[in-house]
Amino acid sequence: MKALTSDQVLQEKKTTDPNAVTSLTFTHRALSDVSCLAEFNKLERLDLTFNNLSSLEGLKPCVNLKWLSVKQNKLRSLKGIEGCVCLTVLNAGSNMIQSMDEVSSLVKLRALILNDNEIKSICRLDKMKELNTLVLSKNPISKIGDSLSKVKSITKLSLSNCKIQGIDSSINSCTELRELRLSHNEIRTLPSELTRNAKIQNLDLGNNLIMRWSDLKILSSLVNLKNLNLAGNPVAEKDTLAKKIKKLVPALQIFNSKPIDKAMKSVTVDADDNHLVDAQDIDKKKGQKMKEHKPNIPTKENDEENTTVTEPISEKKSKRKSRDLKDQPVTVTEEEGIKKSNKIKHEEETVQVTV
């Protein structure tokens, strides 16, 4: 057990006055006890990333704390965080947290990042009138429920790599939503109520179970959509999809991680090798396979490869290779909007928030 001491803090900040300390960074120190921070009443920003904390009880007296990162620790609970009533940014990603109920009283939160934990359900967030970023990717969450029914301020929502089976109606209340990430789930259809989320610019539905073109027609109501990912869905295996999507969403600029104009060219994706293959080469491959079969012997067609459901986030390695956008800790600034050159990349979820 390694405890942080007041003397260490004062020495780090080169002061003898605890009230002069407003910001602290103690990362990669193997700390398991930070209860001494109760003495620093003016502390507003605290970074304890990559330590061995198993409890946040020691931070309960830090009532003026506004920005806190405790990602990559050994937390199983957020108990104690309810004392930090002034928090606007909380990043507790990559722990072993099983419940997020303790954050429901943090009414000033603007960004809540709890990706890569063991959370199974989303608590009610009704009191968070200023919340604009919610990242819960890589958790074994199976449904959204009515947790977001009164959170109209959200502009970015990430629930990728969960166990979501459908887009629940409470998302429709998030009328300011600009970015919605739901890749690597079990979603089969898009609800008609999605028309209320007309401000969405970036939509990631990659590696789900969407099969029919008719399930995508609701996208025509998303008039501001610039970036769309459907890679890894059964419906995306059809060569003509890009052209249909372009007609459906004229403002679209990026489709399946590529500029829409390139996506519309005569190429297709080899699902086994995960790379682009020229259409003529595929015809040759098909011809070779036909020659290899003996005549008059019926061959069994291979079923289209359906998306496998990503395991709960407690497992660190993903079983599925993906071409789509992986959640990446998010940069939340006062500017809302997505640059035209924004491309979907495979990166970890990381969030930096300007307060």
Side-chain angles (χ1 to χ4, degrees), residues 204 227-231 253-260 263 322-326 342-346:
D204 186 3
N227 193 332
L228 173 64
N229 182 32
L230 293 172
Q253 298 172 3
I254 305 294
F255 180 58
N256 291 354
S257 306
K258 296 180 294 185
I260 185 64
S322 145
R323 298 183 305 281
D324 68 315
L325 174 65
K326 252 190 175 181
N342 177 31
K343 293 186 179 180
I344 300 177
K345 295 182 179 179
H346 295 280

Side-chain angles (χ1 to χ4, degrees), residues 178-193:
R178 303 296 204 280
E179 185 171 351
L180 178 58
R181 301 186 182 188
L182 293 169
S183 65
H184 293 273
N185 280 293
E186 303 174 39
I187 297 169
R188 294 178 179 273
T189 61
L190 303 182
S192 59
E193 292 85 0

